[in-house]
Each structure stands twice: as structure tokens, then as C-alpha cells.
Amino acid sequence: KQEVTQIPAALSVPEGENLVLNCSFTDSAIYNLQWFRQDPGKGLTSLLLIQSSQREQTSGRLNASLDKSSGRSTLYIAASQPGDSATYLCAADYGGSQGNLIFGKGTKLSVKP
Amino acid sequence: DAGVIQSPRHEVTEMGQEVTLRCKPISGHDYLFWYRQTMMRGLELLIYFNNNVPIDDSGMPEDRFSAKMPNASFSTLKIQPSEPRDSAVYFCASSLQGAPMVPQHFGDGTRLSIL
């Protein structure tokens, strides 16, 4: 069964700290791995998408890595800010099509000023 | 640009009633997805459409759930009859066809409570 796990479920850090969020997936035959952000009462916003042939993607203070062989992805957030507080979800695309995303349950991040 | 628009934002109704959730995808998007999010199960895909045609409805939990997309700018998810265990946040998302690696754009969801 294809599963995506995110640990920890919640994380609290002081402002300015660098942090890493973890995502693991059971089936390494993924097409891509996506990271999303979800604010309370809102939908998901796509942050980064890593294709299976890539090792990492960067956007501003965010860097996502992908290691298919170990079934892991990480989202690195540099110099965290209170505005980064949200739930971060990763999703593995197994179908190569648009509809086969398997989501983790997310890590709720709180950045304290 | 307008994003994915869902209505209503909140719905509270009694068990046994029919519930209809609505979604307007981003103009020009070819794919439309319906998801359900709960604390226990996280985010699950219910059904998705390509060019208004249902492609995969294997995630629809029961026959009480049905979805339609009569045109490119509108979709509905209907639950009849509703049950308390259907309480969840239901999201609609859309994306472009063509590029193999494109993100899905999500609406703000409908928070459904069945009493």
C-alpha cells in the first residue's frame, strides 16, 4: 500500500531558526513529490515540486530534497519567520497523471516571535 | 486572477438531508479534483475529472456520494442521504493539462458538519 508519513505532527521553533520537515513514502516508484502549505481555514498552496529525476528544488528560503532510494523528502526552511506558521503537507504522485497524489497528514509548524 | 471558488464555505445540516457542494475551477484548467480532509484520515482524493469527464471515482466512499461536471466551469459533489461520519472539509482543486508536472490549485474548502 502506498503511504506517505510526516513526522513530527507538530513543531514549534523560535523565530530565526533553520528547520527541516520530514516526509517518507513507502513506494519509491514516484513520478514527483510535492510540498504544500495549508493555512487555517484555507486550501493548499503548492510550494515546491520535485520531479523523480531531480534531487532538489529551491524557492526563496525553501529548499526541498528528494531521495527516492531511501523513500524520503525533506523541506528545509531557512531563517524561519512567524509568517511561516502553517501546516506543511507533502504529497507523492504515483500515477504520472494528475490524479494520483497520496498526501501525508502534515506537520503543523509554529514559529514563535 | 480568480482562484478556485467553492460554495458554501460552511454547511451544517441534519443527518439524512441532501448536501450539495459546488466548485468553480480556474478558467482554462482541464482537470478538476474533489478531496476530503479529516483529522483521522488526512486528505483523500474522492474523484477527478478531465475535460468534464470523470476519470477515477475509486475514492468515492459510498453510493451516497455522487459528483458531476456539466461544463468546464462548474462541478458539484452531492451527498444523499448525509450521515454524521461525512463531516469533514471538502476541497476542490483544478490544474492545467499538458505539462506533466503542474501543481494543483485548491479552493478554500467547504466545512461540512452533519448533526
Coordinates of all heavy atoms in Angstrom, one line a residue, chain B residues 1-73:
Chain B
D1 N -6.1 37.2 -10.7 CA -6.8 36.1 -11.3 C -7.6 35.4 -10.2 O -7.1 35.2 -9.1 CB -5.9 35.0 -11.9 CG -5.3 35.5 -13.2 OD1 -5.8 36.5 -13.8 OD2 -4.3 34.9 -13.6
A2 N -8.9 35.1 -10.5 CA -9.7 34.4 -9.5 C -9.2 32.9 -9.4 O -8.8 32.3 -10.3 CB -11.2 34.3 -10.0
G3 N -9.2 32.5 -8.1 CA -8.7 31.1 -7.9 C -9.9 30.2 -8.0 O -11.0 30.5 -8.5
V4 N -9.8 29.0 -7.4 CA -10.8 28.0 -7.4 C -11.9 28.5 -6.3 O -11.5 28.8 -5.2 CB -10.3 26.6 -7.0 CG1 -11.5 25.6 -6.8 CG2 -9.3 26.1 -8.0
I5 N -13.1 28.5 -6.7 CA -14.1 29.1 -5.8 C -15.1 28.0 -5.4 O -15.7 27.3 -6.2 CB -14.9 30.2 -6.5 CG1 -14.0 31.3 -6.9 CG2 -16.0 30.7 -5.6 CD1 -14.6 32.4 -7.8
Q6 N -15.2 27.8 -4.1 CA -16.1 26.8 -3.6 C -17.2 27.5 -2.8 O -17.0 28.5 -2.1 CB -15.4 25.8 -2.6 CG -14.4 25.0 -3.4 CD -13.8 23.9 -2.4 OE1 -12.5 24.0 -2.2 NE2 -14.6 23.0 -2.0
S7 N -18.4 26.8 -2.8 CA -19.5 27.3 -2.0 C -20.4 26.1 -1.6 O -20.4 25.1 -2.3 CB -20.4 28.3 -2.8 OG -21.0 27.7 -3.9
P8 N -21.0 26.2 -0.4 CA -20.8 27.2 0.6 C -19.5 27.0 1.3 O -18.8 26.0 1.1 CB -22.0 27.0 1.5 CG -22.2 25.5 1.5 CD -21.9 25.2 0.1
R9 N -19.0 28.0 2.1 CA -17.8 27.8 2.9 C -18.1 26.9 4.1 O -17.2 26.2 4.6 CB -17.3 29.2 3.4 CG -16.7 30.0 2.3 CD -15.4 29.3 1.6 NE -14.5 28.8 2.6 CZ -13.6 29.5 3.3 NH1 -13.5 30.8 3.1 NH2 -12.8 28.9 4.1
H10 N -19.3 27.0 4.7 CA -19.7 26.2 5.8 C -21.1 25.7 5.6 O -21.9 26.4 5.0 CB -19.7 27.0 7.1 CG -18.4 27.7 7.4 ND1 -17.4 27.0 8.1 CD2 -17.9 28.9 7.1 CE1 -16.3 27.9 8.2 NE2 -16.6 29.0 7.6
E11 N -21.3 24.5 6.0 CA -22.6 23.8 5.9 C -22.9 23.0 7.1 O -22.1 22.1 7.4 CB -22.7 23.0 4.6 CG -24.0 22.2 4.4 CD -25.1 23.0 3.7 OE1 -24.7 24.1 3.1 OE2 -26.2 22.6 3.7
V12 N -24.0 23.3 7.8 CA -24.4 22.5 8.9 C -25.8 22.0 8.6 O -26.7 22.8 8.3 CB -24.4 23.3 10.2 CG1 -24.9 22.4 11.4 CG2 -23.1 23.9 10.5
T13 N -26.0 20.7 8.6 CA -27.3 20.1 8.3 C -27.5 18.8 9.1 O -26.6 18.3 9.8 CB -27.4 19.8 6.8 OG1 -28.7 19.5 6.5 CG2 -26.5 18.6 6.4
E14 N -28.7 18.4 9.1 CA -29.1 17.2 9.9 C -28.9 16.0 9.1 O -29.0 16.0 7.9 CB -30.5 17.3 10.4 CG -30.7 18.4 11.4 CD -32.1 18.4 12.1 OE1 -33.0 17.8 11.5 OE2 -32.3 19.1 13.1
M15 N -28.6 14.9 9.8 CA -28.5 13.6 9.2 C -29.7 13.3 8.3 O -30.8 13.5 8.7 CB -28.3 12.5 10.3 CG -28.1 11.1 9.8 SD -27.8 10.0 11.2 CE -29.4 10.1 12.1
G16 N -29.4 12.7 7.2 CA -30.5 12.3 6.3 C -30.8 13.3 5.2 O -31.4 13.0 4.2
Q17 N -30.3 14.6 5.4 CA -30.5 15.6 4.4 C -29.6 15.5 3.2 O -28.5 14.9 3.3 CB -30.4 17.0 5.0 CG -31.4 17.3 6.1 CD -32.8 17.3 5.6 OE1 -33.1 18.0 4.6 NE2 -33.7 16.5 6.2
E18 N -30.0 16.0 2.1 CA -29.1 16.1 0.9 C -28.2 17.3 1.0 O -28.7 18.4 1.4 CB -30.0 16.2 -0.3 CG -29.1 16.3 -1.6 CD -30.0 16.3 -2.9 OE1 -30.6 15.3 -3.2 OE2 -30.0 17.4 -3.5
V19 N -27.0 17.1 0.7 CA -26.0 18.1 0.7 C -25.4 18.3 -0.7 O -25.0 17.3 -1.3 CB -24.8 17.8 1.7 CG1 -23.8 18.9 1.7 CG2 -25.4 17.7 3.1
T20 N -25.3 19.5 -1.1 CA -24.6 19.8 -2.4 C -23.5 20.8 -2.3 O -23.8 21.9 -1.8 CB -25.7 20.3 -3.5 OG1 -26.7 19.3 -3.7 CG2 -25.0 20.5 -4.8
L21 N -22.3 20.4 -2.6 CA -21.2 21.3 -2.6 C -20.9 21.7 -4.0 O -20.9 20.9 -4.9 CB -20.0 20.6 -2.0 CG -20.3 19.9 -0.6 CD1 -19.0 19.2 -0.1 CD2 -20.9 20.8 0.4
R22 N -20.4 22.9 -4.2 CA -20.2 23.5 -5.5 C -18.8 24.0 -5.7 O -18.1 24.4 -4.7 CB -21.2 24.6 -5.8 CG -22.6 24.2 -5.8 CD -23.6 25.3 -5.8 NE -25.0 24.9 -5.9 CZ -25.7 24.5 -4.9 NH1 -25.2 24.5 -3.6 NH2 -27.0 24.1 -5.0
C23 N -18.3 23.9 -6.9 CA -17.0 24.3 -7.2 C -16.9 25.0 -8.6 O -17.4 24.4 -9.6 CB -16.0 23.1 -7.2 SG -14.3 23.5 -7.7
K24 N -16.2 26.1 -8.7 CA -15.9 26.7 -10.0 C -14.4 26.7 -10.1 O -13.6 27.3 -9.4 CB -16.4 28.1 -10.0 CG -16.0 28.9 -11.2 CD -16.6 30.3 -11.2 CE -16.0 31.2 -12.3 NZ -16.3 30.6 -13.6
P25 N -13.8 25.9 -11.1 CA -12.4 25.8 -11.2 C -11.8 27.1 -11.9 O -12.6 27.9 -12.4 CB -12.2 24.6 -12.2 CG -13.5 24.6 -13.0 CD -14.6 25.1 -12.1
I26 N -10.5 27.2 -11.9 CA -9.8 28.3 -12.6 C -10.1 28.1 -14.1 O -10.0 27.0 -14.7 CB -8.3 28.3 -12.3 CG1 -8.1 28.6 -10.8 CG2 -7.6 29.2 -13.2 CD1 -6.7 28.5 -10.4
S27 N -10.4 29.3 -14.7 CA -10.8 29.2 -16.1 C -9.6 28.7 -16.9 O -8.4 29.1 -16.8 CB -11.1 30.7 -16.6 OG -11.3 30.7 -18.0
G28 N -9.9 27.8 -17.8 CA -8.9 27.2 -18.7 C -8.2 25.9 -18.1 O -7.5 25.2 -18.9
H29 N -8.5 25.6 -16.9 CA -8.0 24.4 -16.3 C -8.8 23.2 -16.8 O -10.0 23.2 -16.9 CB -8.0 24.4 -14.8 CG -6.8 25.2 -14.2 ND1 -6.5 25.2 -12.9 CD2 -5.9 26.0 -14.8 CE1 -5.4 25.9 -12.7 NE2 -5.1 26.5 -13.9
D30 N -8.1 22.1 -17.1 CA -8.7 20.9 -17.7 C -9.0 19.8 -16.7 O -9.8 18.9 -17.0 CB -7.8 20.3 -18.8 CG -7.4 21.3 -19.8 OD1 -8.2 21.6 -20.7 OD2 -6.3 21.9 -19.7
Y31 N -8.4 19.9 -15.5 CA -8.6 18.8 -14.5 C -9.3 19.5 -13.3 O -9.0 20.6 -12.9 CB -7.2 18.3 -14.0 CG -6.6 17.3 -15.0 CD1 -5.7 17.7 -16.0 CD2 -6.8 15.9 -14.9 CE1 -5.1 16.9 -16.9 CE2 -6.2 15.0 -15.7 CZ -5.4 15.5 -16.7 OH -4.8 14.6 -17.6
L32 N -10.2 18.7 -12.7 CA -10.9 19.1 -11.5 C -10.9 17.9 -10.6 O -11.2 16.8 -10.9 CB -12.3 19.6 -11.8 CG -13.0 20.1 -10.6 CD1 -13.8 21.4 -10.9 CD2 -13.9 19.1 -9.9
F33 N -10.6 18.2 -9.3 CA -10.4 17.2 -8.3 C -11.3 17.5 -7.1 O -11.5 18.7 -6.7 CB -9.0 17.1 -7.8 CG -8.0 17.0 -8.8 CD1 -7.5 18.2 -9.5 CD2 -7.4 15.8 -9.2 CE1 -6.5 18.1 -10.4 CE2 -6.5 15.7 -10.2 CZ -6.0 16.8 -10.8
W34 N -11.9 16.5 -6.5 CA -12.6 16.7 -5.2 C -11.8 15.8 -4.1 O -11.6 14.7 -4.3 CB -14.0 16.2 -5.3 CG -15.0 17.1 -5.9 CD1 -15.4 17.1 -7.2 CD2 -15.6 18.3 -5.3 NE1 -16.3 18.1 -7.5 CE2 -16.4 18.9 -6.3 CE3 -15.5 18.9 -4.1 CZ2 -17.2 20.0 -6.1 CZ3 -16.3 20.0 -3.9 CH2 -17.1 20.6 -4.9
Y35 N -11.5 16.5 -3.0 CA -10.8 15.9 -1.9 C -11.7 16.0 -0.6 O -12.5 16.9 -0.5 CB -9.5 16.5 -1.6 CG -8.4 16.4 -2.7 CD1 -8.3 17.3 -3.7 CD2 -7.5 15.3 -2.6 CE1 -7.3 17.1 -4.6 CE2 -6.5 15.2 -3.5 CZ -6.4 16.1 -4.5 OH -5.4 15.9 -5.4
R36 N -11.4 15.1 0.3 CA -12.0 15.2 1.6 C -10.8 15.2 2.6 O -9.9 14.4 2.5 CB -13.0 14.1 1.9 CG -13.6 14.1 3.2 CD -14.7 13.0 3.3 NE -14.2 11.7 3.3 CZ -15.0 10.6 3.4 NH1 -16.3 10.7 3.6 NH2 -14.4 9.4 3.4
Q37 N -10.9 16.1 3.6 CA -9.9 16.1 4.7 C -10.5 15.9 6.0 O -11.4 16.7 6.5 CB -9.1 17.5 4.6 CG -7.9 17.5 5.6 CD -7.1 18.8 5.4 OE1 -7.7 19.9 5.3 NE2 -5.8 18.7 5.4
T38 N -10.0 15.0 6.8 CA -10.4 14.7 8.2 C -9.1 14.6 9.0 O -8.0 14.3 8.5 CB -11.2 13.5 8.3 OG1 -10.4 12.3 7.9 CG2 -12.5 13.5 7.5
M39 N -9.3 14.7 10.3 CA -8.1 14.6 11.2 C -7.6 13.2 11.2 O -6.4 12.9 11.2 CB -8.6 14.9 12.6 CG -8.8 16.4 12.9 SD -7.3 17.4 12.8 CE -6.5 16.8 14.3
M40 N -8.5 12.2 11.1 CA -8.1 10.8 11.2 C -7.4 10.3 9.9 O -6.4 9.6 9.9 CB -9.3 9.9 11.4 CG -9.9 10.0 12.9 SD -8.7 9.3 14.0 CE -8.7 7.6 13.6
R41 N -8.0 10.7 8.8 CA -7.5 10.1 7.5 C -6.7 11.1 6.6 O -6.2 10.7 5.6 CB -8.7 9.6 6.7 CG -9.5 8.5 7.5 CD -10.8 8.1 6.7 NE -10.4 7.5 5.4 CZ -10.3 6.2 5.3 NH1 -10.3 5.4 6.4 NH2 -10.0 5.6 4.1
G42 N -6.6 12.3 7.1 CA -5.9 13.3 6.3 C -6.7 13.7 5.0 O -7.9 13.7 5.0
L43 N -5.9 14.0 4.0 CA -6.5 14.4 2.7 C -6.6 13.3 1.7 O -5.6 12.6 1.4 CB -5.6 15.5 2.1 CG -6.2 16.5 1.1 CD1 -7.3 17.3 1.7 CD2 -5.1 17.3 0.5
E44 N -7.8 13.0 1.3 CA -8.1 11.9 0.4 C -8.7 12.3 -0.9 O -9.7 13.1 -0.9 CB -9.0 10.9 1.1 CG -8.5 10.3 2.4 CD -9.6 9.4 3.0 OE1 -10.6 10.0 3.5 OE2 -9.4 8.2 3.1
L45 N -8.3 11.8 -2.0 CA -8.9 12.1 -3.3 C -10.2 11.3 -3.4 O -10.2 10.1 -3.2 CB -8.0 11.7 -4.4 CG -8.5 11.9 -5.8 CD1 -8.7 13.4 -6.1 CD2 -7.6 11.3 -6.9
L46 N -11.3 12.0 -3.8 CA -12.6 11.3 -3.9 C -12.8 11.0 -5.4 O -13.1 9.8 -5.7 CB -13.7 12.2 -3.5 CG -13.7 12.6 -2.0 CD1 -14.8 13.6 -1.7 CD2 -13.7 11.4 -1.1
I47 N -12.6 12.0 -6.3 CA -12.9 11.8 -7.7 C -12.2 12.9 -8.5 O -11.9 14.0 -7.9 CB -14.4 11.8 -8.0 CG1 -14.7 11.6 -9.5 CG2 -15.0 13.2 -7.6 CD1 -16.2 11.4 -9.8
Y48 N -11.8 12.6 -9.7 CA -11.3 13.7 -10.5 C -11.8 13.6 -12.0 O -12.2 12.5 -12.4 CB -9.8 13.8 -10.5 CG -9.0 12.9 -11.3 CD1 -8.5 13.2 -12.6 CD2 -8.6 11.7 -10.7 CE1 -7.7 12.3 -13.3 CE2 -7.8 10.8 -11.5 CZ -7.3 11.1 -12.7 OH -6.5 10.3 -13.4
F49 N -11.9 14.7 -12.6 CA -12.4 14.9 -13.9 C -11.3 15.4 -14.9 O -10.5 16.2 -14.4 CB -13.6 15.9 -14.0 CG -14.8 15.5 -13.2 CD1 -14.9 15.7 -11.8 CD2 -15.9 14.9 -13.8 CE1 -16.0 15.3 -11.1 CE2 -17.0 14.6 -13.1 CZ -17.1 14.8 -11.8
N50 N -11.4 15.0 -16.1 CA -10.6 15.6 -17.2 C -11.5 16.0 -18.3 O -12.2 15.2 -18.8 CB -9.5 14.6 -17.6 CG -8.6 15.2 -18.7 OD1 -8.2 14.5 -19.6 ND2 -8.3 16.5 -18.7
N51 N -11.4 17.3 -18.6 CA -12.3 17.8 -19.7 C -13.8 17.4 -19.4 O -14.5 16.9 -20.3 CB -11.9 17.3 -21.1 CG -10.6 18.0 -21.5 OD1 -10.3 19.1 -21.2 ND2 -9.7 17.2 -22.2
N52 N -14.2 17.6 -18.2 CA -15.6 17.4 -17.7 C -16.0 15.9 -17.6 O -17.1 15.6 -17.2 CB -16.6 18.1 -18.6 CG -16.2 19.5 -18.9 OD1 -15.5 20.1 -18.2 ND2 -16.8 20.0 -20.0
V53 N -15.1 15.0 -17.9 CA -15.4 13.6 -17.9 C -14.8 12.9 -16.6 O -13.6 13.1 -16.3 CB -14.8 12.8 -19.1 CG1 -15.0 11.3 -19.0 CG2 -15.4 13.4 -20.4
P54 N -15.6 12.2 -15.8 CA -15.0 11.6 -14.6 C -14.0 10.5 -15.0 O -14.3 9.6 -15.8 CB -16.2 11.0 -13.9 CG -17.2 10.8 -15.0 CD -17.0 11.9 -16.0
I55 N -12.8 10.6 -14.5 CA -11.7 9.7 -14.8 C -11.5 8.6 -13.8 O -11.3 7.4 -14.1 CB -10.4 10.4 -15.0 CG1 -10.5 11.5 -16.1 CG2 -9.3 9.5 -15.4 CD1 -10.9 11.0 -17.5
D56 N -11.6 9.0 -12.5 CA -11.3 8.0 -11.5 C -12.2 8.4 -10.3 O -12.0 9.4 -9.7 CB -9.8 8.0 -11.1 CG -9.5 6.9 -10.0 OD1 -10.4 6.3 -9.5 OD2 -8.3 6.8 -9.7
D57 N -13.1 7.5 -10.0 CA -14.0 7.8 -8.8 C -13.8 6.7 -7.7 O -14.7 6.5 -6.9 CB -15.5 7.8 -9.3 CG -16.0 6.5 -9.8 OD1 -15.2 5.6 -9.9 OD2 -17.2 6.4 -10.0
S58 N -12.7 6.0 -7.8 CA -12.5 5.0 -6.8 C -12.4 5.4 -5.4 O -12.5 4.6 -4.4 CB -11.2 4.2 -7.2 OG -10.1 5.1 -7.2
G59 N -12.2 6.7 -5.2 CA -12.1 7.3 -3.8 C -13.4 7.6 -3.3 O -13.5 8.0 -2.1
M60 N -14.5 7.6 -4.0 CA -15.8 7.9 -3.5 C -16.2 6.8 -2.5 O -16.3 5.7 -2.9 CB -16.8 8.0 -4.7 CG -16.5 9.1 -5.7 SD -16.9 10.7 -5.0 CE -18.5 11.0 -5.8
P61 N -16.5 7.2 -1.3 CA -16.7 6.2 -0.3 C -17.9 5.3 -0.4 O -17.8 4.1 -0.1 CB -16.7 7.0 1.0 CG -17.1 8.4 0.6 CD -16.6 8.6 -0.8
E62 N -19.0 5.9 -0.9 CA -20.2 5.1 -1.0 C -21.1 5.6 -2.1 O -20.8 6.7 -2.6 CB -21.0 5.2 0.4 CG -20.2 4.6 1.6 CD -21.0 4.9 2.9 OE1 -22.2 4.8 2.9 OE2 -20.3 5.3 3.9
D63 N -22.1 4.8 -2.4 CA -23.1 5.3 -3.4 C -23.8 6.5 -3.0 O -24.5 7.2 -3.8 CB -24.1 4.2 -3.7 CG -23.4 3.0 -4.4 OD1 -22.2 3.2 -4.9 OD2 -24.0 1.9 -4.5
R64 N -23.7 6.9 -1.7 CA -24.4 8.1 -1.3 C -23.7 9.4 -1.9 O -24.3 10.4 -1.9 CB -24.4 8.2 0.2 CG -25.1 7.1 0.9 CD -25.2 7.2 2.4 NE -23.8 7.2 3.0 CZ -23.2 8.3 3.5 NH1 -23.7 9.5 3.4 NH2 -22.0 8.1 4.0
F65 N -22.5 9.2 -2.3 CA -21.7 10.3 -2.9 C -21.8 10.2 -4.4 O -21.6 9.2 -5.0 CB -20.2 10.2 -2.5 CG -20.0 10.5 -1.0 CD1 -20.4 9.7 0.0 CD2 -19.3 11.7 -0.7 CE1 -20.1 10.0 1.3 CE2 -19.0 12.0 0.6 CZ -19.4 11.2 1.6
S66 N -22.0 11.4 -5.0 CA -22.0 11.5 -6.4 C -21.4 12.8 -6.8 O -21.5 13.8 -6.1 CB -23.4 11.3 -7.0 OG -24.3 12.4 -6.6
A67 N -20.8 12.9 -8.0 CA -20.2 14.1 -8.5 C -20.5 14.3 -10.0 O -20.5 13.3 -10.7 CB -18.7 14.2 -8.2
K68 N -20.7 15.6 -10.3 CA -21.0 15.9 -11.7 C -20.2 17.1 -12.2 O -19.8 17.9 -11.3 CB -22.5 16.2 -11.9 CG -23.4 15.0 -11.7 CD -24.8 15.3 -12.0 CE -25.7 14.1 -11.8 NZ -27.2 14.5 -12.0
M69 N -19.9 17.2 -13.5 CA -19.3 18.3 -14.0 C -20.0 18.6 -15.3 O -19.5 18.2 -16.4 CB -17.8 18.1 -14.2 CG -17.0 19.4 -14.5 SD -15.3 19.2 -14.3 CE -14.8 20.9 -14.6
P70 N -21.1 19.3 -15.3 CA -21.9 19.6 -16.5 C -21.2 20.5 -17.5 O -21.5 20.4 -18.7 CB -23.1 20.3 -16.0 CG -22.7 20.8 -14.7 CD -21.7 19.9 -14.1
N71 N -20.2 21.3 -17.1 CA -19.5 22.1 -18.0 C -18.1 22.4 -17.4 O -17.8 22.1 -16.3 CB -20.2 23.4 -18.4 CG -20.6 24.2 -17.2 OD1 -19.7 24.7 -16.5 ND2 -21.9 24.3 -16.9
A72 N -17.3 23.1 -18.2 CA -15.9 23.3 -17.8 C -15.8 24.3 -16.6 O -14.7 24.4 -16.0 CB -15.1 23.9 -19.0
S73 N -16.8 25.0 -16.2 CA -16.7 26.0 -15.2 C -17.5 25.6 -13.9 O -17.7 26.5 -13.1 CB -17.2 27.3 -15.7 OG -18.5 27.3 -16.2

